[in-house]
Amino acid sequence: MRVAIGQFAVGREWQENAAVCLDLMQRAAEGGADLLVLPEGVLARDITDPDIVLKAAQPLDGPFLSQLLAASKERALTTILCLHVPDGAQKALNVLVAFRQGEIIAVYEKLHLYDAFTMQESQRVNPGQVIPPLIEVAGMKVGLMTCYDVRFPEMARRLALDGADVLVLPAAWVKGPLKEMHWELLTRARALENTCYMVAAGECGPRNIGNSLVVDPFGVAVANAAEAPALLFADLDPERLAYARQVLPVLENRRFARPELDGE
């Protein structure tokens, strides 16, 4: 599977962000990608206005996603991104959307809200209640996660036990002391401990670190971005995945039961 990561700084106007996404989709397709991963919260960002997630939220059939779906109709490229969707109760849902050929193929409402390091995502966003589905891209099974989810090893382990070969992580990782180190450590650990590929897309800009990366099943970062906008490409090798799981059979050797979501 050939993957691409589109790293960019989200602006305040959804029309401008849609144009960036459309450009990245075209360039990823031209580069032969099967899968494009974009950051979290791509509808709008304004670090001076925390309520922007509510003001800019759109339903899945709104104009932002409708433009992207229309552009995807003639392409086999699968695109994954996150946007805020009104929940009908004065808050929003942080929704990961996967789509290709003009159709939404999966949605996932973020389970773990970022109530940490002085941030309080739950003030404006309600958590999801369902483990995300797996999707299939180019013969590999892809598990879906969003940003803060990566700090919870149960999430990645559950997806791996459900059959994921690849973990995808759109994110908007906030800058701060040691945060770049946390990002790299956590993404590499989730890949290694589950012998999965990790494709982690970070937003860049004044608030977030960027630093998108692709990690192989042995925890090796095989593609990296820095702090600026970028389009990364990497090839995920099923043979590398099979070899990792042969010599490091942690999923078979585990002694603990499959993690379950509360109330599942």
Side-chain angles (χ1 to χ4, degrees):
M1 184 203 301
R2 187 161 176 79
V3 300
I5 297 178
Q7 175 174 297
F8 68 101
V10 177
R12 185 177 176 87
E13 303 301 327
W14 71 262
Q15 296 91 339
E16 296 176 4
N17 299 321
V20 174
C21 293
L22 290 168
D23 176 67
L24 289 167
M25 288 168 60
Q26 179 174 341
R27 292 163 57 198
E30 290 172 350
D34 301 296
L35 174 66
L36 168 66
V37 185
L38 299 173
E40 177 189 23
V42 296
L43 263 178
R45 179 85 63 220
D46 183 346
I47 62 174
T48 68
D49 183 6
D51 287 330
I52 191 71
V53 297
L54 300 177
K55 297 173 182 176
Q58 293 186 16
L60 295 182
D61 61 357
F64 178 89
L65 194 56
S66 294
Q67 284 191 29
L68 274 57
L69 288 172
S72 74
K73 282 185 177 179
E74 304 304 321
R75 297 187 181 129
L77 175 72
T78 300
T79 300
I80 293 175
L81 52 76
C82 294
L83 70 163
H84 289 95
V85 174
D87 75 346
Q90 299 183 327
K91 286 190 177 182
L93 294 165
N94 190 339
V95 181
L96 181 152
V97 183
F99 60 92
R100 63 172 171 249
Q101 295 180 316
E103 301 289 339
I104 295 173
I105 61 171
V107 296
Y108 158 58
E109 297 170 359
K110 186 178 181 182
L111 285 173
H112 299 100
L113 300 184
Y114 184 50
D115 290 355
F117 293 112
T118 75
M119 305 290 284
Q120 200 76 18
E121 187 177 9
S122 64
Q123 287 183 352
R124 299 169 182 87
V125 178
N126 280 324
Q129 304 297 331
V130 178
I131 294 286
L134 302 184
I135 63 173
E136 186 163 328
V137 180
M140 302 182 80
K141 292 183 178 179
V142 179
L144 311 174
M145 306 168 64
T146 302
C147 201
Y148 193 46
D149 284 336
V150 77
R151 290 188 181 270
F152 299 87
E154 303 90 347
M155 179 81 173
R157 177 53 54 91
R158 169 60 185 268
L159 294 171
L161 293 177
D162 284 350
D165 304 310
V166 182
L167 300 173
V168 164
L169 186 76
W173 202 261
V174 180
K175 295 176 180 178
L178 303 178
K179 294 295 293 298
E180 287 89 348
M181 182 269 286
H182 290 184
W183 169 256
E184 182 174 359
L185 175 64
L186 290 162
T187 51
R188 293 178 68 172
R190 296 295 88 87
L192 174 60
E193 70 194 6
N194 294 294
T195 53
C196 287
Y197 278 98
M198 167 67 79
V199 183
E203 187 199 347
C204 58
R207 193 193 74 159
N208 299 317
I209 67 170
N211 289 24
S212 299
L213 74 168
V214 179
V215 184
D216 85 355
F218 284 110
V220 178
V222 295
N224 296 83
E227 82 291 350
L231 180 61
L232 295 180
F233 289 91
D235 293 313
L236 311 190
D237 184 357
E239 292 185 5
R240 175 74 165 170
L241 179 73
Y243 176 68
R245 291 181 171 180
Q246 175 189 348
V247 300
L248 184 61
V250 289
L251 299 178
E252 296 179 17
N253 293 344
R254 75 185 202 285
R255 299 285 301 279
F256 287 87
R258 184 182 76 158
E260 303 288 339
L261 183 64
D262 284 347
E264 189 177 13

PDB file of all heavy atoms in Angstrom, residues 36-54:
ATOM      1  N   LEU A  36      -4.667   8.543   1.626  1.00  0.00           N
ATOM      2  CA  LEU A  36      -4.216   9.868   2.054  1.00  0.00           C
ATOM      3  C   LEU A  36      -4.787  10.136   3.437  1.00  0.00           C
ATOM      4  O   LEU A  36      -5.998  10.020   3.644  1.00  0.00           O
ATOM      5  CB  LEU A  36      -4.696  10.944   1.079  1.00  0.00           C
ATOM      6  CG  LEU A  36      -4.534  12.403   1.541  1.00  0.00           C
ATOM      7  CD1 LEU A  36      -3.059  12.787   1.662  1.00  0.00           C
ATOM      8  CD2 LEU A  36      -5.256  13.352   0.591  1.00  0.00           C
ATOM      9  N   VAL A  37      -3.924  10.517   4.378  1.00  0.00           N
ATOM     10  CA  VAL A  37      -4.355  10.864   5.726  1.00  0.00           C
ATOM     11  C   VAL A  37      -4.093  12.346   5.957  1.00  0.00           C
ATOM     12  O   VAL A  37      -2.971  12.825   5.774  1.00  0.00           O
ATOM     13  CB  VAL A  37      -3.632  10.009   6.791  1.00  0.00           C
ATOM     14  CG1 VAL A  37      -4.197  10.317   8.186  1.00  0.00           C
ATOM     15  CG2 VAL A  37      -3.778   8.523   6.483  1.00  0.00           C
ATOM     16  N   LEU A  38      -5.138  13.059   6.341  1.00  0.00           N
ATOM     17  CA  LEU A  38      -5.070  14.488   6.641  1.00  0.00           C
ATOM     18  C   LEU A  38      -5.237  14.693   8.143  1.00  0.00           C
ATOM     19  O   LEU A  38      -5.619  13.760   8.860  1.00  0.00           O
ATOM     20  CB  LEU A  38      -6.157  15.229   5.856  1.00  0.00           C
ATOM     21  CG  LEU A  38      -6.048  15.119   4.334  1.00  0.00           C
ATOM     22  CD1 LEU A  38      -7.270  15.750   3.659  1.00  0.00           C
ATOM     23  CD2 LEU A  38      -4.777  15.763   3.820  1.00  0.00           C
ATOM     24  N   PRO A  39      -4.995  15.901   8.663  1.00  0.00           N
ATOM     25  CA  PRO A  39      -5.027  16.104  10.115  1.00  0.00           C
ATOM     26  C   PRO A  39      -6.430  16.071  10.714  1.00  0.00           C
ATOM     27  O   PRO A  39      -7.440  15.883  10.032  1.00  0.00           O
ATOM     28  CB  PRO A  39      -4.394  17.488  10.286  1.00  0.00           C
ATOM     29  CG  PRO A  39      -3.624  17.736   9.034  1.00  0.00           C
ATOM     30  CD  PRO A  39      -4.404  17.047   7.960  1.00  0.00           C
ATOM     31  N   GLU A  40      -6.466  16.302  12.007  1.00  0.00           N
ATOM     32  CA  GLU A  40      -7.701  16.427  12.789  1.00  0.00           C
ATOM     33  C   GLU A  40      -8.205  17.869  12.724  1.00  0.00           C
ATOM     34  O   GLU A  40      -7.424  18.810  12.705  1.00  0.00           O
ATOM     35  CB  GLU A  40      -7.393  16.050  14.240  1.00  0.00           C
ATOM     36  CG  GLU A  40      -8.547  16.181  15.217  1.00  0.00           C
ATOM     37  CD  GLU A  40      -8.098  15.998  16.659  1.00  0.00           C
ATOM     38  OE1 GLU A  40      -6.899  16.206  16.948  1.00  0.00           O
ATOM     39  OE2 GLU A  40      -8.947  15.667  17.498  1.00  0.00           O
ATOM     40  N   GLY A  41      -9.526  18.013  12.709  1.00  0.00           N
ATOM     41  CA  GLY A  41     -10.114  19.351  12.799  1.00  0.00           C
ATOM     42  C   GLY A  41      -9.838  20.222  11.594  1.00  0.00           C
ATOM     43  O   GLY A  41      -9.499  21.396  11.741  1.00  0.00           O
ATOM     44  N   VAL A  42     -10.033  19.691  10.393  1.00  0.00           N
ATOM     45  CA  VAL A  42      -9.636  20.427   9.185  1.00  0.00           C
ATOM     46  C   VAL A  42     -10.659  21.471   8.733  1.00  0.00           C
ATOM     47  O   VAL A  42     -10.394  22.215   7.790  1.00  0.00           O
ATOM     48  CB  VAL A  42      -9.330  19.467   8.014  1.00  0.00           C
ATOM     49  CG1 VAL A  42      -8.125  18.594   8.334  1.00  0.00           C
ATOM     50  CG2 VAL A  42     -10.536  18.609   7.663  1.00  0.00           C
ATOM     51  N   LEU A  43     -11.808  21.563   9.387  1.00  0.00           N
ATOM     52  CA  LEU A  43     -12.792  22.566   8.995  1.00  0.00           C
ATOM     53  C   LEU A  43     -12.323  23.984   9.296  1.00  0.00           C
ATOM     54  O   LEU A  43     -12.453  24.881   8.457  1.00  0.00           O
ATOM     55  CB  LEU A  43     -14.116  22.322   9.734  1.00  0.00           C
ATOM     56  CG  LEU A  43     -15.203  21.550   9.011  1.00  0.00           C
ATOM     57  CD1 LEU A  43     -16.408  21.378   9.930  1.00  0.00           C
ATOM     58  CD2 LEU A  43     -15.630  22.259   7.746  1.00  0.00           C
ATOM     59  N   ALA A  44     -11.816  24.204  10.508  1.00  0.00           N
ATOM     60  CA  ALA A  44     -11.441  25.568  10.897  1.00  0.00           C
ATOM     61  C   ALA A  44     -10.557  25.530  12.125  1.00  0.00           C
ATOM     62  O   ALA A  44     -10.706  24.667  12.994  1.00  0.00           O
ATOM     63  CB  ALA A  44     -12.682  26.413  11.182  1.00  0.00           C
ATOM     64  N   ARG A  45      -9.648  26.516  12.203  1.00  0.00           N
ATOM     65  CA  ARG A  45      -8.786  26.670  13.380  1.00  0.00           C
ATOM     66  C   ARG A  45      -8.565  28.151  13.603  1.00  0.00           C
ATOM     67  O   ARG A  45      -8.276  28.909  12.676  1.00  0.00           O
ATOM     68  CB  ARG A  45      -7.439  25.976  13.180  1.00  0.00           C
ATOM     69  CG  ARG A  45      -6.482  26.111  14.363  1.00  0.00           C
ATOM     70  CD  ARG A  45      -6.747  25.051  15.391  1.00  0.00           C
ATOM     71  NE  ARG A  45      -6.518  23.720  14.849  1.00  0.00           N
ATOM     72  CZ  ARG A  45      -7.302  22.661  15.111  1.00  0.00           C
ATOM     73  NH1 ARG A  45      -8.370  22.795  15.876  1.00  0.00           N
ATOM     74  NH2 ARG A  45      -7.034  21.489  14.582  1.00  0.00           N
ATOM     75  N   ASP A  46      -8.716  28.595  14.851  1.00  0.00           N
ATOM     76  CA  ASP A  46      -8.401  29.967  15.247  1.00  0.00           C
ATOM     77  C   ASP A  46      -7.992  29.907  16.707  1.00  0.00           C
ATOM     78  O   ASP A  46      -8.836  29.715  17.588  1.00  0.00           O
ATOM     79  CB  ASP A  46      -9.607  30.883  15.048  1.00  0.00           C
ATOM     80  CG  ASP A  46      -9.299  32.344  15.382  1.00  0.00           C
ATOM     81  OD1 ASP A  46      -8.257  32.620  16.019  1.00  0.00           O
ATOM     82  OD2 ASP A  46     -10.109  33.216  15.018  1.00  0.00           O
ATOM     83  N   ILE A  47      -6.696  30.051  16.969  1.00  0.00           N
ATOM     84  CA  ILE A  47      -6.215  29.874  18.337  1.00  0.00           C
ATOM     85  C   ILE A  47      -6.691  30.973  19.272  1.00  0.00           C
ATOM     86  O   ILE A  47      -6.592  30.842  20.487  1.00  0.00           O
ATOM     87  CB  ILE A  47      -4.668  29.775  18.374  1.00  0.00           C
ATOM     88  CG1 ILE A  47      -4.011  31.060  17.851  1.00  0.00           C
ATOM     89  CG2 ILE A  47      -4.184  28.562  17.602  1.00  0.00           C
ATOM     90  CD1 ILE A  47      -2.503  31.063  18.008  1.00  0.00           C
ATOM     91  N   THR A  48      -7.251  32.069  18.727  1.00  0.00           N
ATOM     92  CA  THR A  48      -7.800  33.128  19.575  1.00  0.00           C
ATOM     93  C   THR A  48      -9.281  32.890  19.884  1.00  0.00           C
ATOM     94  O   THR A  48      -9.871  33.649  20.661  1.00  0.00           O
ATOM     95  CB  THR A  48      -7.659  34.506  18.896  1.00  0.00           C
ATOM     96  OG1 THR A  48      -8.509  34.580  17.749  1.00  0.00           O
ATOM     97  CG2 THR A  48      -6.222  34.745  18.475  1.00  0.00           C
ATOM     98  N   ASP A  49      -9.887  31.856  19.299  1.00  0.00           N
ATOM     99  CA  ASP A  49     -11.322  31.632  19.439  1.00  0.00           C
ATOM    100  C   ASP A  49     -11.594  30.141  19.628  1.00  0.00           C
ATOM    101  O   ASP A  49     -11.862  29.415  18.663  1.00  0.00           O
ATOM    102  CB  ASP A  49     -12.056  32.157  18.197  1.00  0.00           C
ATOM    103  CG  ASP A  49     -13.568  32.018  18.307  1.00  0.00           C
ATOM    104  OD1 ASP A  49     -14.054  31.616  19.383  1.00  0.00           O
ATOM    105  OD2 ASP A  49     -14.264  32.310  17.314  1.00  0.00           O
ATOM    106  N   PRO A  50     -11.559  29.652  20.868  1.00  0.00           N
ATOM    107  CA  PRO A  50     -11.787  28.222  21.102  1.00  0.00           C
ATOM    108  C   PRO A  50     -13.162  27.739  20.642  1.00  0.00           C
ATOM    109  O   PRO A  50     -13.352  26.547  20.388  1.00  0.00           O
ATOM    110  CB  PRO A  50     -11.642  28.085  22.621  1.00  0.00           C
ATOM    111  CG  PRO A  50     -10.852  29.277  23.057  1.00  0.00           C
ATOM    112  CD  PRO A  50     -11.233  30.372  22.108  1.00  0.00           C
ATOM    113  N   ASP A  51     -14.137  28.655  20.532  1.00  0.00           N
ATOM    114  CA  ASP A  51     -15.477  28.254  20.111  1.00  0.00           C
ATOM    115  C   ASP A  51     -15.589  28.032  18.602  1.00  0.00           C
ATOM    116  O   ASP A  51     -16.673  27.723  18.102  1.00  0.00           O
ATOM    117  CB  ASP A  51     -16.501  29.306  20.539  1.00  0.00           C
ATOM    118  CG  ASP A  51     -16.758  29.277  22.040  1.00  0.00           C
ATOM    119  OD1 ASP A  51     -16.647  28.187  22.642  1.00  0.00           O
ATOM    120  OD2 ASP A  51     -17.060  30.342  22.605  1.00  0.00           O
ATOM    121  N   ILE A  52     -14.481  28.178  17.881  1.00  0.00           N
ATOM    122  CA  ILE A  52     -14.518  28.010  16.432  1.00  0.00           C
ATOM    123  C   ILE A  52     -15.004  26.609  16.054  1.00  0.00           C
ATOM    124  O   ILE A  52     -15.637  26.422  15.010  1.00  0.00           O
ATOM    125  CB  ILE A  52     -13.130  28.296  15.806  1.00  0.00           C
ATOM    126  CG1 ILE A  52     -13.226  28.377  14.279  1.00  0.00           C
ATOM    127  CG2 ILE A  52     -12.109  27.272  16.225  1.00  0.00           C
ATOM    128  CD1 ILE A  52     -13.934  29.588  13.764  1.00  0.00           C
ATOM    129  N   VAL A  53     -14.744  25.609  16.908  1.00  0.00           N
ATOM    130  CA  VAL A  53     -15.176  24.247  16.578  1.00  0.00           C
ATOM    131  C   VAL A  53     -16.702  24.158  16.531  1.00  0.00           C
ATOM    132  O   VAL A  53     -17.256  23.340  15.779  1.00  0.00           O
ATOM    133  CB  VAL A  53     -14.607  23.205  17.564  1.00  0.00           C
ATOM    134  CG1 VAL A  53     -13.099  23.166  17.488  1.00  0.00           C
ATOM    135  CG2 VAL A  53     -15.084  23.448  18.978  1.00  0.00           C
ATOM    136  N   LEU A  54     -17.384  24.989  17.329  1.00  0.00           N
ATOM    137  CA  LEU A  54     -18.845  25.012  17.312  1.00  0.00           C
ATOM    138  C   LEU A  54     -19.375  25.902  16.196  1.00  0.00           C
ATOM    139  O   LEU A  54     -20.324  25.545  15.502  1.00  0.00           O
ATOM    140  CB  LEU A  54     -19.373  25.500  18.660  1.00  0.00           C
ATOM    141  CG  LEU A  54     -18.990  24.650  19.879  1.00  0.00           C
ATOM    142  CD1 LEU A  54     -19.516  25.287  21.158  1.00  0.00           C
ATOM    143  CD2 LEU A  54     -19.522  23.229  19.736  1.00  0.00           C
TER     144      LEU A  54
END
